[in-house]
C-alpha cells in the first residue's frame, strides 16, 4: 500500500470539525522482550538483553525479561483484552532470536509458529497486526561478532526481514523496520545504559550507519511482499537547552537523537553536525542504499528532552533536568503536550509522510489495586487526554496523522528500570500474571469508540 501525504490541511477525508477522521487507526503497542518471557522456550536463542540483564548492577532490582508478562503463553488472553479495548490495530515486535536463534542460518520453526498463532488470533479478533522487526533484542550470536558495529549486520538483518516477509506477508501488511534506532544506538553504544552496554564513540557512529544500511536493505527485502506498507519508528523529541548556556549541547543532541537516523533514511543526508564524524564509515552509494521509499513515518513521542553540556560524558552532553514548574509523570518525564503538537507539525513538514504515532504513554510507579480491586490511574488518563487533544490540534493545523498507538497495552519490563515503572492500560500482577484493566483502559476504550463513531471524544 502506498500512501501519499496529505499536505492540504482541513480536507483530510472524513474528518469532522473537531473530531478524528473515522478511518483514523487506534491501537496499542508492546515489544517482544518486554512482554513475552519464555526466554528459553522452544529453541529461542539468547539476545543481548538476556546477557545484559545478567550483568550485575545494570538493571534495577536485578530484574530480567525471563518471564515478563508470559505473553508467549498468555497471548490469547491478551488479544481478548485488546478486543475489549476496541483497538483496530496492535503493534508488536518479533524477537529475532526466537525465529533465528543465532541471528542467521537455520530458522526455528517453533519460534515462527508462535507468531503465526499470534497473528491468526489477532485477525480472528478483527485487529490488524503491525509487525516491527526490531525492538532491541539483537541475537547474542551476532553481537559476539560485532553486532551493529559490524557492517555485515545490515545483510543479516535483510535476510531476517525477507524470512519474516515470506512467512507472514500473506496476513501482515504493516511492517516497521526498527523501533527507536536513535535511542538504542545512543543508549547501547554511547551511554552504556542499554544492551550491549558499550560507551565508545567509534562503535556508536558505526552502529548508527550500519543500522541505517540495515533499514534500507530490509525495506528492499520487504518490498517482495506485494501488499507491504513499510515505515520506520523514530522517537522524535525536541531537545531543549536546560540552561541558557546549553544551547550548543541541545543542538548537538538533537542532531543525534532526531536527525542521525531519520534524515538519512528519508532525506539521504546526515545532519551537518554528524556528517563529518560518520563520513569515515560511509562508502560510495550508501546513502542511496539507506534512503529507500517508505510509506509512512512511525513516531514515538513522550516529552521534550532537556539537555545540558557535560564535558565528562560520552558525547559531551547529558540529559536533564527539566524546569521546576513543568509537571512530570510518575517516572519523572516532563508533561508538555504542546511539544507533542509541535513535534507532529515539525515531522510533517520535514518528511512529508503520513504519520502514525506508534508510542505515547504515561509511566507511573504507584499504580495499585484499591480495596475494590480497581486501579484509579487518573494521572494517566489526564496525560492521554491532553496528548490526544494536542494531536488533534496538530491535525487541525495540517499535520497528516493517520493513527495513534498507546504505549502500552500491558505493564511490562521497562529496560534498565526493570518492572518498577508501569506504562500499561492493563495492570499486571507479576506474581500471579493476573491482568487487571486500569481506569485508563476503560477511558481509552470509550475514547476509541466515540472517535470511531465520528464523534468528538
Ligand atoms: C520507548 C521504548 C519502549 C518503552 C517506552 C516507555 O523508548 O520504545 O520500549 O520502553 O519507551
Amino acid at each position: 500500500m502506498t500512501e501519499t501525504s496529505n499536505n492540504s490541511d482541513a480536507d483530510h477525508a472524513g474528518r469532522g470539525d473537531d473530531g478524528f477522521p473515522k478511518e483514523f487507526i487506534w491501537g496499542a503497542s508492546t515489544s517482544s522482550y518486554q512482554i513475552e518471557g519464555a526466554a528459553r522456550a522452544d529453541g529461542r536463542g539468547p539476545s543481548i538483553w538476556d546477557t545484559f540483564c545478567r550483568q550485575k548492577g545494570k538493571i534495577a532490582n536485578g530484574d530480567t525479561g525471563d518471564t515478563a508478562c508470559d505473553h508467549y503463553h498468555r497471548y490469547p488472553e491478551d488479544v481478548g483484552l485488546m478486543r475489549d479495548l476496541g483497538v483496530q490495530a496492535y503493534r508488536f515486535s518479533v524477537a529475532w532470536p526466537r525465529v533465528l536463534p543465532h541471528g542467521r542460518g537455520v530458522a526455528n520453526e517453533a519460534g515462527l509458529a508462535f507468531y503465526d498463532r499470534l497473528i491468526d488470533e489477532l485477525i480472528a479478533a478483527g485487529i490488524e497486526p503491525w509487525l516491527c522487526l526490531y525492538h532491541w533484542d539483537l541475537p547474542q550470536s551476532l553481537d559476539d561478532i560485532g553486532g551493529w558495529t559490524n557492517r555485515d549486520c545490515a545483510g543479516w538483518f535483510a535476510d531476517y526481514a525477507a524470512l519474516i516477509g515470506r512467512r507472514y506477508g500473506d496476513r501482515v501488511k504493516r511492517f516497521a523496520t526498527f523501533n527507536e534506532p536513535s535511542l538504542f544506538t545512543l543508549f547501547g553504544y554511547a551511554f552504556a545504559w542499554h544492551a550491549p552496554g558499550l560507551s565508545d564513540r567509534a562503535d556508536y557512529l558505526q552502529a548508527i550507519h550500519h543500522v541505517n544500511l540495515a533499514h534500507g536493505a530490509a525495506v528492499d527485502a520487504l518490498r517482495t511482499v506485494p501488499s507491504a506498507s513499510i515505515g520506520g519508528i523514530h522517537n522524535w523529541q525536541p531537545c531543549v537547552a536546560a540552561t541558557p548556556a546549553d544551547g550548543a549541547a541541545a543542538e548537538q543532541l538533537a542532531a543525534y537523537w532526531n536527525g542521525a537516523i531519520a534524515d538519512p533514511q528519508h532525506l539521504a543526508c546526515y545532519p551537518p553536525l554528524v556528517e563529518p564524524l560518520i563520513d569515515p564509515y560511509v562508502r560510495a552509494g550508501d546513502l542511496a542504499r539507506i534512503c529507500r521509499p517508505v510509506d509512512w513515518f512511525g513516531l514515538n513521542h513522550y516529552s521534550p528532552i532537556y539537555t545540558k553540556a557535560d564535558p565528562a560524558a560520552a558525547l559531551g552532553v547529558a540529559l536533564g533536568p527539566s524546569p521546576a514548574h513543568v509537571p512530570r509523570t510518575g517516572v519523572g518525564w516532563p508533561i508538555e503536550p504542546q511539544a507533542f503538537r509541535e513535534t507532529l507539525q515539525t515531522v510533517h513538514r520535514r518528511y512529508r509522510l503520513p504519520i502514525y504515532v506508534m508510542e505515547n504513554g504515561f509511566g507511573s510507579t504507584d499504580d495499585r489495586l484499591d480495596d475494590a480491586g480497581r486501579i484509579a490511574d487518573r494521572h494517566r488518563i489526564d496525560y492521554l487526554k491532553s496528548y490526544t487533544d494536542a494531536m488533534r490540534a496538530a491535525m487541525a493545523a495540517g499535520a497528516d496523522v493517520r493513527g495513534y498507538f498507546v504505549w502500552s497495552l500491558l505493564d511490562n519490563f521497562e529496560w534498565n528500570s526493570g518492572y518498577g515503572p508501569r506504562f500499561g492500560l492493563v495492570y499486571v500482577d507479576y506474581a500471579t500474571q493476573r491482568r487487571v484493566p486500569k481506569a485508563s483502559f476503560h477511558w481509552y476504550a470509550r475514547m476509541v469508540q466515540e472517535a470511531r463513531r465520528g464523534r468528538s471524544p
Side-chain angles (χ1 to χ4, degrees):
M1 175 191 295
T2 302
E3 296 168 76
T4 43
S5 183
N6 180 350
N7 298 327
S8 71
D9 314 336
D11 60 354
H12 189 177
R15 181 157 75 225
D17 283 347
D18 55 358
F20 289 99
K22 277 195 184 156
E23 66 277 12
F24 194 84
I25 295 176
W26 296 96
S29 287
T30 65
S31 89
S32 47
Y33 191 72
Q34 292 179 278
I35 66 164
E36 284 180 4
R40 276 175 285 273
D42 298 335
R44 177 186 175 280
S47 80
I48 53 173
W49 274 92
D50 295 289
T51 308
F52 194 62
C53 287
R54 276 169 179 73
Q55 289 172 26
K56 215 168 152 40
K58 296 293 187 193
I59 314 291
N61 199 36
D63 288 339
T64 76
D66 285 359
T67 307
C69 308
D70 194 30
H71 172 76
Y72 186 76
H73 297 111
R74 291 166 198 265
Y75 71 90
E77 181 183 354
D78 295 338
V79 174
L81 286 163
M82 288 179 231
R83 198 188 323 99
D84 296 346
L85 190 59
V87 288
Q88 294 119 291
Y90 171 58
R91 170 219 163 186
F92 63 99
S93 72
V94 170
W96 187 350
R98 199 179 282 293
V99 300
L100 285 163
H102 297 289
R104 55 192 176 146
V106 182
N108 175 29
E109 178 52 36
L112 287 164
F114 166 66
Y115 298 105
D116 279 330
R117 294 195 294 278
L118 173 63
I119 289 165
D120 291 346
E121 188 87 11
L122 287 164
I123 292 171
I127 298 165
E128 186 181 16
W130 285 55
L131 186 159
C132 177
L133 289 172
Y134 189 87
H135 203 124
W136 309 354
D137 38 6
L138 181 72
Q140 182 57 49
S141 302
L142 297 186
D143 191 59
D144 293 342
I145 45 175
W148 292 115
T149 67
N150 183 339
R151 190 177 164 106
D152 291 343
C153 209
W156 302 327
F157 188 69
D159 293 344
Y160 159 55
L163 168 74
I164 295 299
R166 276 197 308 276
R167 178 78 177 212
Y168 308 117
D170 57 337
R171 288 156 290 162
V172 176
K173 241 176 31 193
R174 305 287 196 162
F175 293 96
T177 54
F178 286 94
N179 176 73
E180 298 194 355
S182 74
L183 192 114
F184 80 75
T185 49
L186 185 67
F187 285 14
Y189 295 85
F191 290 174
W193 295 344
H194 280 189
L198 303 178
S199 179
D200 180 279
R201 181 186 282 255
D203 285 343
Y204 172 53
L205 295 166
Q206 289 181 81
I208 290 175
H209 189 57
H210 299 153
V211 165
N212 281 331
L213 286 166
H215 161 84
V219 171
D220 287 345
L222 289 168
R223 284 289 172 218
T224 55
V225 176
S227 59
S229 170
I230 308 170
I233 301 174
H234 304 275
N235 50 316
W236 184 293
Q237 335 272 91
C239 298
V240 183
T243 73
D246 295 316
E251 247 183 78
Q252 162 138 359
L253 186 64
Y256 285 109
W257 193 293
N258 296 322
I261 307 264
D263 279 4
Q265 290 187 7
H266 301 95
L267 307 175
C269 59
Y270 279 103
L273 283 176
V274 173
E275 198 267 338
L277 300 169
I278 296 255
D279 193 54
Y281 310 110
V282 179
R283 297 188 192 160
D286 275 3
L287 283 158
R289 287 185 193 103
I290 291 168
C291 183
R292 310 298 298 143
V294 292
D295 302 297
W296 42 270
F297 188 101
L299 172 72
N300 292 357
H301 178 95
Y302 290 88
S303 67
I305 306 292
Y306 287 88
T307 314
K308 57 179 188 191
D310 179 355
L315 303 170
V317 298
L319 309 190
S322 56
H325 68 271
V326 173
R328 291 182 220 161
T329 68
V331 294
W333 296 359
I335 302 176
E336 297 187 56
Q338 86 288 354
F340 184 38
R341 177 174 55 70
E342 286 159 17
T343 298
L344 287 165
Q345 291 174 265
T346 304
V347 167
H348 167 73
R349 282 194 299 267
R350 191 166 180 80
Y351 300 115
R352 295 283 162 185
L353 284 167
I355 299 169
Y356 290 94
V357 176
M358 302 301 297
E359 277 187 33
N360 173 243
F362 181 96
S364 53
T365 49
D366 60 357
D367 287 347
R368 273 190 199 95
L369 288 165
D370 64 20
D371 293 342
R374 300 199 197 98
I375 293 122
D377 55 340
R378 186 71 241 169
H379 295 316
R380 179 169 292 106
I381 295 174
D382 293 344
Y383 176 99
L384 294 175
K385 172 142 184 29
S386 65
Y387 272 70
T388 49
D389 283 350
M391 175 169 70
R392 205 153 29 145
M395 291 164 72
D400 183 8
V401 188
R402 305 277 178 97
Y404 175 92
F405 291 59
V406 70
W407 183 270
S408 178
L409 177 71
L410 304 169
D411 290 340
N412 59 50
F413 175 78
E414 178 52 23
W415 308 114
N416 53 338
S417 305
Y419 292 98
R422 292 179 177 269
F423 279 84
L425 299 182
V426 176
Y427 180 87
V428 177
D429 176 356
Y430 295 111
T432 61
Q433 292 295 348
R434 189 160 74 96
R435 274 83 162 129
V436 184
K438 303 178 190 175
S440 58
F441 178 99
H442 302 294
W443 176 85
Y444 191 62
R446 261 194 314 278
M447 192 191 59
V448 169
Q449 204 177 44
E450 295 288 294
R452 291 182 69 180
R453 284 200 198 122
R455 293 204 203 128
S456 175

